[in-house]
Amino acid sequence: MSKYTEDDLREELKTKEYEYGFYTDIKSDTFPIGLNEDIVRAISKKKEEPEWMTQWRLEAFKVWQEMQEPDWANVHYKKPDFQAIAYYSAPTSVDPNKTLDDVDPDLLAMYKKLGISVDEQKKMNNIAMDIVVDSVSVATTFKKTLAEKGIIFMSISEAIKEHPELVKKYLGTVVPQKDNFYAALNSAVFSDGSFCYIPKGVKCPMELSTYFRINQAGTGQFERTLVIADEGSYVSYLEGCTAPSRDENQLHAAVVELIALDDAEIKYSTVQNWFPGNAEGKGGVYNFVTKRGLCEKNAKISWTQVETGSAVTWKYPSCVLKGDNSVGEFYSIAVTNNYQQADTGTKMIHLGKNTKSTIISKGISAGKSQNSYRGLVQVSSRAENARNFSQCDSLLMGNECGAHTFPYIEAKNKTAQIEHEATTSKIGEDQIFYCNQRGIDTEKAIALIVNGFSKDVLNKLPMEFAVEAQKLLEISLEGSVG
Amino acid sequence: MLKINNLHASVEDKSILKGINLEIKAGEVHAIMGPNGSGKSTLASVVAGKEEYEVTDGTILLEGEDIEELAAEERAHKGIFLSFQYPVEIPGVSVTNFMKTAINANRKAKGLEDMPANEMLKLIREKSEMLEIDRKFLSRSLNEGFSGGEKKRNEIFQMAMLEPKLAILDETDSGLDIDALRIVANGVNKLKSKDNAVLVITHYQRLLDYIVPDFVHVLYNGKIVKSGGKELAHELEEKGYDWIKEEVNA
C-alpha cells in the first residue's frame, strides 16, 4: 500500500535535520563505578525512595547476581564488565522548582540539536514532552492539560513518591524482576524513566512523547517505563532516542511495561537511533531491552518501532494476550549498516479466546551488518480461535551483509490459524538506474526504495514521527552504496 | 541539440555500437528503426549514461557539451529523458512521490528550491488530464501491478512532468493497444516544441503514424546504414529489413 498521495503533499511538513554524534559538556553527579548492594541502596536513597522500593530493587539485585548473561541471540560482542560501569548519573543543574526558562543553556542547546527546542515544543501542539537527559527528567510540559483529564504523566521517580499505590500494584507485573538477566539488572538499578496512567474511559488527547538521551561517558542507562491504560481508555506513546558519539561501548538496558486493562488501547511507537559505532565497527551502544505489554479483555496493544541505531540490539517488544478478544500488533523496521548487529522481533502469547496478532517486520541490511528477526507465536491450549499473521521481509544491500529469520510457532490448540510470509530481496541496479535517469542520485534513490519497502510500517507511525523516521532511514544508510 | 560522432560502445567487452553518427536539432523528431539486436536500445542506454556500457570511441555532445564523463542523473539534469522499454517496479513508492522526488532533485541541481506543494499539485493535475490518467493511478506504487499500457503511459506522464530537452522513447509502442497508443502519441505531440527534440526508437512503423518523424534512420549491426524522411518508415513497413541487410552486405 502506498499512502503517499496528493493529500500528503498538502500536509507535508518541513523535515528537520536530524543530527547525532554531538556531546554536550554538562557537569554530572556520577557514582563511583561498580555494582553491589550499597550502590543499589545508594541509588534508591539518592532518589528518596520509600523502603518498599529499596527492597524491591534489592530483591532484583539478588536474583541478578545468580543469573547468566544470555547468549542465544545471533549477535557477537565483548560482554560488558558490569563492575566497570557507573550506575547513576544526573545532570547537576536540576532543580524541581525551575521553569523551562531557567533550564541550563547547554541543555537547551542540546534540545535544539535534537530538534526539540522549548519553542518548538510549545508550537508542536498535541505533543507533551517529558525529556529525559541522562537519568533524570528535567522538564515536563503540558502537565496541566493532562491533569484536567486525570492523566498522570511524569517521571517514574516522581510517580514512586506521588502515586505509590499505582506503581506498587503494577511495577514488575508484566516484566518480573527475574524475567531475564537485563530486566533483573534494570530492576535493581533503574535510574529513571516515564510513568503514565490513563484513567477509565479517557482518550488521551495528545501523543505522549519522551526523548531519551545517553550523555555521560561510560554511564549505563537503565530506563524504566510503566504505562497503564485503565478500562476503556486510549493512549498513544512516542519514544525517540539519539545518542552522542562515544568511543567506548555504552550499555543500555531498558524495561518497558504496558498494561492495557479491559477495552483499553495502547499504541507505543519508538524511533531508536543510539550511536551505532563508526564505519569500522568501533564504539556504539549495546541495546538490551525488555518490552512487554499485557492485554486484558478486548484490549489492544500496538508496538511500532524504527530501529536504526545501536552497535548491538537485543529487543523483542511482546504482547501477552491474556483477555479474550484481545489484539496484539508488532510493526518493525530494523536497519543495520557497517558492523551493526540486530536480533529483534516479538513474542505474541495467545492465552485468551479469539485473540488476534499481527506481525510485520521489515529488515534492511547494508555494509557488513547482520540483521535477524526472531519471533515467537504461542497459542495456549485454552486460546480458542486464536489468529496470527506474520510477514517478515528482508532487503539486502551489497554482498557482505546478512539477513536471518527465526520464526518460532507453538500451537497447543487446534483451532489456531497461523500464517507466516517471508520475502528477501535486493536493491537492483535497474531500479537505481531508473531513478538516476529521472535525475535522482544513487544515495537518494536508495533512500526512496528503502522508504517504499518500509512503507507499511512507516504508515503506522504518527505523522510527525513518520517524517523523522524517514529522514533517519536515509541518514542510517548514507555511504552504504558501493 | 544532440550530436553523436563516431560512437563506439561495448558491454562486457562485446562491441555493440560500431560508429554511430547522428545529429538532432531542436524542434526535430527523429526515428531510429532496425531489426532486433541491431543496437537500438543500447544507443538509448549509452546516451542516458547507463554504467554497464563502455564508450570505446567517439563523442556525445549535448548542446555542444561533451557528456561522456557525466553520471546518468547529471545527464537527466541537463534535459535527457529516457522512456524505458521495460520500466522497473519500485514497491511502496507512489507515482506522485516518485515524481516529486525527481522534480525536486532536478530543481536542486539547478540551484532552485523545492517546488511548492500547490504548484506541484497544479502540474500533476494538468499533465494527468492531458494524458487521460486517472488520479487514483498516481497513488499506486510505481509500476507495481501496472499493465503494459499503464507502464508506458506512466513513462510519458513523467516526461510531461519533467519537460526534457531531449526525449528518447525506447519502444514506447510495445504493449500498447490502439487507444493507448493514440493517447500516448497525442501527449508526445503536445509536448513537442521548437526548443526540444524527440528520438523515437521503434521496431514498427505504427507509432510513426501518430508521432510523425522529420528523419528516419535505420540501425543495423551497430551502424546507421540508411537515413531518409518519413517515407522511409513506410518503405520498411512494406518491404521489411531484408533488403537493407542485403544492401549492407553487398
Side-chain angles (χ1 to χ4, degrees), chain A residues 2 4 431 434 437-439, chain B residues 77 82 89 94 139 155 158:
Chain A
S2 56
Y4 197 98
Q431 283 176 317
Y434 188 88
Q437 209 300 307
R438 299 300 186 247
Chain B
H77 300 156
L82 172 61
E89 295 179 2
S94 68
S139 314
E155 293 291 291
Q158 294 184 34

Side-chain angles (χ1 to χ4, degrees), chain A residues 1-7 9-10 12 14 429-442 444 448-449 451-453 455 470, chain B residues 50 72-73 76-77 80-82 84 88-94 97-98 100-102 105-106 117 121 135 139-143 155 158:
Chain A
M1 231 173 40
S2 56
K3 281 253 183 84
Y4 197 98
T5 60
E6 292 173 37
D7 291 337
L9 267 177
R10 283 189 198 92
E12 186 164 309
K14 274 213 149 184
E429 277 169 16
D430 283 352
Q431 283 176 317
I432 291 176
F433 178 62
Y434 188 88
C435 295
N436 288 162
Q437 209 300 307
R438 299 300 186 247
I440 302 164
D441 65 34
T442 301
K444 191 87 189 148
L448 194 69
I449 295 165
N451 275 322
F453 173 77
K455 207 90 214 166
Q470 212 161 330
Chain B
K50 195 167 187 180
E73 66 269 24
H77 300 156
I80 292 181
F81 178 90
L82 172 61
F84 285 77
V88 298
E89 295 179 2
I90 305 185
V93 176
S94 68
N97 190 13
F98 184 72
K100 184 181 83 99
T101 308
N106 281 292
L121 280 169
R135 302 266 283 286
S139 314
R140 286 170 60 188
S141 287
L142 189 72
N143 293 320
E155 293 291 291
Q158 294 184 34

